Amino acid sequence: MTASKRLSTLLKAALVFSAGFATALVAQTYTDSPQRIELKRTDLTGAPGMEVIASTAEYKTGDSIERHSHPGVEVAYVLQGASIQVPGKEPSTLPTGTALLNLRDVKHAGFKVVGDVPLKLFTVHVVDKGQPLYDFSK
């Protein structure tokens, strides 16, 4: 094989790899929240096919949490409250210490953090194992 053919083959392989890598990054963006930091994940004892995921997330002023659902239950605890605004509504406060419970496949969130203080959450998801954690489809 000539040097130019080897170079051509190498460039094609690099292009295919790059396209696949970029696709994976875009797919992750649509199935997870970039602000979420996973702390622990484990199988749910006695419930094959289910897992428990503990995470934290910090949403800074201007960050949005798009409407979404989960393939299971989400429990959230507000570690640091903040002002939030749903499109078309007046700003409101999500206070520190608030507990939230979002049921399977029920759309929730859909707001922007406004004001000077970031919103900090601790979440626990009990979800179908191997499924994307977030579903942002309308």
Side-chain angles (χ1 to χ4, degrees):
M1 182 182 282
T2 67
S4 65
K5 282 193 175 197
R6 276 189 289 223
L7 181 59
S8 176
T9 302
L10 181 61
L11 288 174
K12 287 177 188 174
L15 181 62
V16 169
F17 174 79
S18 297
F21 185 70
T23 300
L25 288 176
V26 169
Q28 181 183 12
T29 301
Y30 292 123
T31 61
D32 202 348
S33 168
Q35 292 87 351
R36 187 177 74 86
I37 298 171
E38 188 170 310
L39 304 173
K40 190 82 170 173
R41 180 184 296 242
T42 189
D43 291 342
L44 180 61
T45 305
M50 299 290 291
E51 63 185 344
V52 180
I53 305 168
S55 306
T56 59
E58 179 176 340
Y59 299 91
K60 295 182 167 78
T61 300
D63 285 350
S64 293
I65 304 176
E66 302 300 322
R67 280 189 64 75
H68 64 276
S69 63
H70 306 282
V73 175
E74 174 190 45
V75 177
Y77 180 78
V78 179
L79 297 170
Q80 178 176 288
S83 293
I84 61 170
Q85 187 169 20
V86 174
K89 307 253 177 156
E90 290 296 315
S92 61
T93 301
L94 187 55
T96 299
T98 301
L100 306 166
L101 179 64
N102 298 307
L103 300 177
R104 175 185 288 275
D105 298 327
V106 174
K107 295 285 184 189
H108 57 278
F111 58 83
K112 180 185 253 186
V113 177
V114 295
D116 298 331
V117 179
L119 174 63
K120 295 181 182 179
L121 302 174
F122 173 74
T123 60
V124 175
H125 294 89
V126 181
V127 292
D128 298 334
K129 189 173 182 173
Q131 296 297 309
L133 187 55
Y134 289 78
D135 180 0
F136 292 105
S137 63
K138 305 241 176 199

